[in-house]
Amino acid sequence: PDLTELSARLTVCRACPRLVAWRKECAHVKKAAYADQPYWGRPVAGFGDTKPWLLAFGLAPAANGGNRTGRNFTGDPSAAWLFEALHRAGLATLPTSDNAGDGQRLTGVRLLNPLRCAPPKNKPTPAELSTCAPWVARELELVLPAARVVLCLGAIGWSAALTALANAGVDIPRPRPKFGHGTEATVAGLHLLGCYHPSPHNTYTGRLTHQMFDEIITRAMQLADQ
Ligand code: SF4
């Protein structure tokens, strides 16, 4: 399948009973701020360029973000922070990512999550991660040929990216390279780059600043000769 067909197939996946129940519950028991809005309440596909030089890995859609809007990294504080930064770097048409109909477009970048449904407390079980692994592996098969850099958001994104690459047939060195902000590793010609996740926990506390993120994007561009 191509990316459009893959996304269409993904939206009807019900392989994880706990996550199917949770994504539905979030859509019924809405956060007060979004009480008047419909919730997507289904799996969320990757979002961005279909021939990306940069792949960014998070973990899963947020209950009131991607799970509400139906678009990856859309409609929550992490998304707002990330898109402001991507826009500064000329990689996103808009400095915001509020809803799936906002006209946002990414150039050269694709945002992926190894888990396609929002998990309770943002904590998937190992079984859920492994059940969902084929979805990101299939998406990776379609976008890897163009990719040069994999930006891993947080230690979980780093580990998930390595696992997803391994599932997509990429040789991963042993021992696995370890995550750190600014850490780099080369895996079968792909550059892995670690960056703290742009969650409020990191951005509100100053652990991840705009300048730090801009430096990571500049480095990603250097590595990819962009
Ligand atoms: Fe399907 Fe993945 Fe959602 Fe599980 S997490 S129901 S495998 S899309």
Side-chain angles (χ1 to χ4, degrees):
D2 63 13
L3 283 168
T4 309
E5 198 184 328
L6 189 63
S7 294
R9 288 190 197 172
L10 171 76
T11 58
V12 292
C13 181
R14 301 178 56 83
C16 306
R18 187 181 79 116
L19 301 185
V20 171
W22 178 246
R23 69 193 195 202
K24 251 204 231 158
E25 189 182 329
C26 294
H28 285 299
V29 188
K30 301 174 181 181
K31 196 172 173 181
Y34 310 122
D36 59 340
Q37 296 182 18
Y39 267 55
W40 170 250
R42 291 193 200 175
V44 181
F47 170 54
D49 205 320
T50 54
K51 292 195 171 84
W53 62 267
L54 178 64
L55 298 174
F57 260 82
L59 171 63
N64 296 293
N67 182 58
R68 174 173 62 87
T69 61
R71 195 174 72 186
N72 213 0
F73 275 99
T74 301
D76 60 55
S78 303
W81 199 96
L82 179 65
F83 273 82
E84 203 186 315
L86 292 175
H87 179 71
R88 268 199 311 278
L91 301 172
T93 50
L94 302 172
T96 53
S97 179
D98 294 333
N99 63 73
D102 60 6
Q104 177 64 270
R105 278 191 52 217
L106 287 166
T107 305
V109 182
R110 191 166 186 87
L111 306 175
L112 298 174
N113 279 330
L115 189 79
R116 301 307 171 97
C117 293
K121 297 186 181 160
N122 286 324
K123 285 206 176 108
T125 65
E128 287 160 353
L129 278 168
S130 122
T131 304
C132 202
W135 288 113
V136 76
R138 274 185 218 131
E139 191 168 340
L140 274 177
E141 279 163 22
L142 296 171
V143 297
L144 265 183
R148 305 293 312 280
V149 178
V150 180
L151 176 64
C152 306
L153 301 173
I156 293 174
W158 177 271
S159 158
L162 284 170
T163 300
L165 289 168
N167 289 338
V170 175
D171 275 336
I172 304 297
R174 294 269 162 194
R176 282 183 166 206
K178 285 208 168 94
F179 172 79
H181 180 83
T183 295
E184 295 178 19
T186 306
V187 173
L190 271 174
H191 299 284
L192 253 70
L193 190 51
C195 178
Y196 290 140
H197 192 286
S199 64
H201 174 71
N202 288 330
T203 56
Y204 289 0
T205 57
R207 189 170 188 234
L208 177 64
T209 64
H210 289 295
Q211 190 187 337
M212 286 164 74
F213 194 85
D214 291 351
E215 284 166 3
I216 291 281
I217 292 291
T218 301
R219 181 61 185 147
M221 287 174 155
Q222 281 171 351
L223 289 168
D225 288 328
Q226 290 292 314

